[in-house]
Amino acid sequence: MAQIFRIDEAFDRHEELLALILGAFSYMDGRIDPPSSAHALNFELLRQKIVDEIAFGVRDGERLVGCIFCKPEDDCLYIGKLAVALETQGKGIGRLLLAEAEATARALKLPALRLLTRIELVDNHRAFAAWGFVQSGTMCHPGFTRPTAIEMRKTL
């Protein structure tokens, strides 16, 4: 049974967490330009991300099968690095993580969630829309003249 937990400075499974993120984001390789920022993560950056952001994990038994990183902003909680192990996708783990993000936003008195998803990942757009997110803008990564990502928000 999937169990959610807070990833904090006491967390000591960085190698497994990094493998989870890289595995979950691997389907994007060759599909998105520029490549995912997940490729820039290493153990030190991941440790710092855990300190700087609010992170949650999901374990199934002892196995880490999902994570989400949340960063408070002025008018919302930014969702980043939402990752679910490929073999456990479609089993409600992403929804469980987003529910925890919503609870965190409410506790911080933030009225919305915000995330970015790449232009090319149309299936992600549909999945986030099904979870109540609506497109609120686009952005261009540095060096690009065309939009490379869609911003989506969910009002709580």
Side-chain angles (χ1 to χ4, degrees), residues 101-137:
E102 285 184 26
T104 300
R106 286 188 175 96
L108 295 171
K109 300 192 179 352
L110 294 170
L113 299 179
R114 182 177 81 86
L115 58 80
L116 293 170
T117 181
R118 294 303 188 88
I119 292 284
E120 300 91 343
L121 303 179
V122 178
D123 289 344
N124 285 10
H125 308 172
R126 282 193 286 268
F128 289 125
W131 289 339
F133 285 82
V134 295
Q135 183 175 338
S136 55

Side-chain angles (χ1 to χ4, degrees), residues 82-103:
L82 170 58
V84 176
L86 296 175
E87 64 277 5
T88 60
Q89 290 181 2
K91 297 183 179 178
I93 292 167
R95 192 173 298 277
L96 179 67
L97 288 161
L98 285 171
E100 194 67 32
E102 285 184 26

